[in-house]
DNA sequence: ACGCTATATGTAATCGATTACAATTGCAAT
DNA sequence: ATTGCAATTGTAATCGATTACATATAGCGT
């Protein structure tokens, strides 16, 4: 009795004694058919084991039910929680996620370009602020545009809608915290220079320092690239300095952890000899030793928010024209990696004991 | 001159002065058309800005060009590197990734079921060993099956092809290392009981202890669930013990880190008072303080391997019938969280100095 | 010169749903 | 009773590519 090939809509129609149009309606807009018919169709669908052919529906209805997510680096745990938020929202709307790692696929931009197209996806979420922008506006002015929204990162000179954390406020809170502890010599370990977040956090840091009347010493501003290793290198540079800052804000938690671990290797204790602040509040941060003082970002919420923004844009047929930029609040989590600076050596020396 | 709607294959055909069949062939199997025609078609495609309609191709060719990846928890960084490996391999084959978080979508199994279907995906990669198996064999014996492969985790009583790390060897190496350091009282902090990895590592741990003639004391075997918090709880349980183990192997790095951080809070020093071994070697592990001794898993390679296995299965039209289980080797990374046990207090006390 | 094969291309059916439009029915208002 | 409207359902065109099959052309051996 079993059919060789998968049941199609016409098989269901036959069993239910209705037309294919009715089956289609009963399944996709149940309220548009009579109750009795709906039940008959549902029963027939169950009886035949019918499963819709997604390609056929997509072709005819000119939708895809999918959203492309362009992630800079899937291996980076920072993005995984944002992805989780995106997934939660999109799956609740019946949309699926096409994931593309722009690092991996980076050698062939054409590969990515293929995804930014109405026949592929109903929308695009970009977590990578450094993609060439022409890639996101395919076909210039003509043809249908796929709605594009940014999360976390963004294009500095473009006006795509975006959701981001309040990076400026985060840097300011961190600097104010260090200043309140009594630090006068405060530095910063940057992320990649090409990255908007790095630059934004860097500028906000300098602004906050200036506003507080603190020295902005370029020697205390170190390069980095968001990796653990760049924290290690920053530690070595700090060790080599003659006039060292007493506190360092890092562009992210990885950098802060690499920094602290290398200092530990070299017998330098945090926060006694240097206060360190991270950025992001990854899960490990509060379980690091010392527990990391850091700027918390609502990562899961960033994901749900950007997904919702895109869903709204898709259903409106177009994105909100005034290119909204949503900025979500951050929080400073004060833990154990920051403390008042050590009293200057030339004065009275009451040796501080380490735990 | 610009057309309102996106150019279709027939527009390209007109410009190139050939039929749609020829255009299709020129684009998908270039070697099957004459060189001159191919060039004309490519030029016409470029001139019109033609982009293929994926839904149409999928419908006709009965393929999807997509692979579904079922991830237990996207927010867990452990999976992100495996995903990166999967992405690298699949994207190089022109396949896209449909990502589904089985935790998020877990409330509705039907939602997941929808993805395990030939019209959705050409294959499925499962990273979650606890999914109901009927979900992965839709339609019982009839109908086309979608190839399914497992990575990391697997179904204990099923014979799907799978790729996994050598968890048994990992546990054995860890126990042998602790034994070699002189530990006699060795415990284990488990992951979720329902998880195959937890159980596998647990059993291998017990076996290794028995083989080495060490005590297997059930009081030293603690429950856990792979989270940082479960490490914290394990630490408290350890503190409450009267007869404490001198070394603990943890089911994963998160647990180990939670454990160490809580002990640190309580003034207990690792490894002086307790040796701790993790499992997985997440990026942070070597930058933790103390640097974590742990079992390294080839996570990226797990991803590339399982993806390759699936790709082979798809192209063969069927998966290797003898349900191959590939086991990738692990390595023990000895760092600073393990040391010889403290000499018994009643004996001579030569206080060991900590770095 | 003839037939045969190999190569290249064209014609049109096909994949399986959605949906515009038409048709039917029931019911209320006139 | 007749008309009008709303609610259901059916008929058939349609989405845009792929591909089985048919056809045309060229090269080759005898």
């Amino acid at each position: 009795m079993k059919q060789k090939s998968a049941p199609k809509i016409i098989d269901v129609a036959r069993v239910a004694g209705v037309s294919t149009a009715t089956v289609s309606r009963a399944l996709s807009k149940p309220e548009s058919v009579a109750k009795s018919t709906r039940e008959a169709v549902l029963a027939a669908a169950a009886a035949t084991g019918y499963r819709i052919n997604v390609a056929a529906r997509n072709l005819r209805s000119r939708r895809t039910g999918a959203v492309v997510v362009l992630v800079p680096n899937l291996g980076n745990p920072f993005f995984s929680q944002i992805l989780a938020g995106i997934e939660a929202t999109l799956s609740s709307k019946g949309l699926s996620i096409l994931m593309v790692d722009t690092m991996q696929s980076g050698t062939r931009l054409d590969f990515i370009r293929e995804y930014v197209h109405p026949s592929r996806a109903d929308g695009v979420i970009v977590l990578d602020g450094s993609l060439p922008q022409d890639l996101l506006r395919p076909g210039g002015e003509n043809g249908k545009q796929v709605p594009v929204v940014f999360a976390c990162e963004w294009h500095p000179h473009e006006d795509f809608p975006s959701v981001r954390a309040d990076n400026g406020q985060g840097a300011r809170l961190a600097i104010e915290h260090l200043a309140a502890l009594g630090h006068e010599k405060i530095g910063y370990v940057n992320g990649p220079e090409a990255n908007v977040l790095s630059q934004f956090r860097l500028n906000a840091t300098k602004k906050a320092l200036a506003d507080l009347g603190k020295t902005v010493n370029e020697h205390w501003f170190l390069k980095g690239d968001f990796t653990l290793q760049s924290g290690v290198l920053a530690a070595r540079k700090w060790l080599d300095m003659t006039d060292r800052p007493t506190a360092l804000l890092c562009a992210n938690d990885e950098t802060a952890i690499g920094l602290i671990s290398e200092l530990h290797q070299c017998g330098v204790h945090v926060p006694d000899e240097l206060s360190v602040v991270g950025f992001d509040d990854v899960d490990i941060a509060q379980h690091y030793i010392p527990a990391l003082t850091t700027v918390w970002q609502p990562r899961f919420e960033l994901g749900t928010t950007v997904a919702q923004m895109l869903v709204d844009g898709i259903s409106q047929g177009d994105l909100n024209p005034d290119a909204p930029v949503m900025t979500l609040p951050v929080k400073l989590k004060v833990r154990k990696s920051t403390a008042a600076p050590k009293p200057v050596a030339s004065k009275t020396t009451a040796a501080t004991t380490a735990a």
Side-chain angles (χ1 to χ4, degrees), chain A:
Chain A
M1 258 337 95
K2 290 177 182 180
Q3 298 178 287
K4 287 286 167 57
S5 64
K8 315 173 207 294
I9 203 170
I10 194 170
D11 299 314
V12 179
R14 244 189 299 267
V15 171
V18 296
S19 74
T20 60
T22 301
V23 174
S24 174
R25 284 188 281 251
L27 295 175
S28 55
K29 332 188 197 95
E31 74 286 358
S32 71
V33 303
K35 184 155 175 264
S36 58
T37 329
R38 190 189 321 145
E39 283 162 0
V41 170
L42 260 45
T48 53
Y50 171 73
R51 314 290 302 281
I52 196 172
N53 183 309
V54 180
R57 175 180 51 190
N58 290 352
L59 173 57
R60 178 59 228 242
S61 59
R62 299 155 158 285
R63 295 181 330 100
T64 69
V67 166
V68 167
V69 180
L70 300 176
V71 192
N73 179 5
L74 261 179
N76 184 335
F78 174 74
F79 293 108
S80 55
Q81 287 218 353
I82 297 166
L83 276 177
I86 292 174
E87 217 277 347
T89 297
L90 291 185
S91 74
S92 79
K93 308 289 179 188
L95 290 167
S96 46
I97 295 181
L98 273 171
M99 219 184 39
V100 180
D101 187 327
T102 56
M103 282 302 176
Q104 300 289 346
S105 324
T107 39
R108 297 156 296 153
L109 277 184
D110 284 337
F111 182 83
I112 300 173
R113 197 184 309 274
E114 214 176 79
Y115 282 89
V116 186
H117 190 255
S119 92
R120 270 286 187 165
D122 297 338
V124 180
I125 294 175
V126 188
L127 304 183
D128 182 343
S130 60
L131 287 176
Q133 62 195 53
D134 71 296
L135 198 145
L136 303 172
R137 299 198 186 281
E141 296 307 314
N142 69 325
K144 256 207 209 135
Q145 293 288 357
V146 182
V148 174
V149 298
F150 276 74
C152 298
E153 302 189 1
W154 64 93
H155 257 180
H157 306 302
E158 285 286 327
D159 56 353
F160 290 106
S162 83
V163 181
R164 53 186 84 161
D166 193 341
N167 291 280
Q169 173 72 353
R172 202 171 311 120
L173 288 173
I175 297 301
E176 285 171 1
H177 164 64
L178 293 171
L181 285 171
H183 289 274
E184 291 295 332
K185 299 154 78 172
I186 300 175
Y188 176 77
V189 185
N190 202 5
E193 289 194 33
N195 185 283
V196 279
L197 293 181
S198 306
Q199 291 314 305
F200 208 81
R201 292 171 186 176
L202 171 64
N203 293 335
T205 300
K206 287 186 174 170
K207 175 112 192 340
L209 286 173
D211 288 350
L212 291 165
K214 305 292 178 188
T215 321
V216 178
N217 184 333
E218 285 297 337
H219 290 103
W220 300 336
F221 284 75
L222 304 175
K223 291 181 197 288
D225 60 5
F226 283 159
T227 63
L228 287 157
Q229 187 56 28
S230 78
V232 170
L233 297 177
R236 294 188 190 145
K237 280 182 226 145
W238 183 85
L239 288 166
D240 285 345
M241 290 181 187
T242 49
D243 183 24
R244 295 173 180 158
T246 59
L248 282 174
L249 169 59
C250 296
N252 72 346
D253 286 348
E254 266 75 16
T255 306
I257 287 173
L259 171 65
I260 297 174
S261 78
E262 181 68 7
L263 290 177
H264 174 82
Q265 290 280 328
C266 302
V268 175
H269 190 270
V270 170
D272 294 348
E273 313 204 30
L274 176 69
S275 285
V276 176
V277 181
F279 214 110
D280 292 348
D281 194 23
V282 298
D283 289 341
I284 300 286
Q286 68 175 304
H287 293 282
Y288 198 68
I289 299 174
L292 195 64
T293 296
T294 187
V295 177
W296 172 85
Q297 286 196 55
R299 289 183 288 161
F300 190 87
E301 201 188 347
L302 276 165
T304 58
T305 307
V306 74
Q308 188 59 53
M309 192 180 252
L310 183 64
V311 168
D312 293 345
I314 290 173
S315 60
Q316 288 164 28
D318 208 356
L319 279 168
N320 204 325
D322 48 15
V325 171
M326 289 194 60
T327 305
L328 303 186
V330 300
K331 289 179 193 161
L332 181 70
K333 300 277 186 178
V334 177
R335 301 204 180 99
K336 306 289 188 187
S337 66
T338 48
K342 238 187 356 186
V344 185
S346 58
K347 285 281 179 182
T348 53
T349 50
T352 48
T353 53

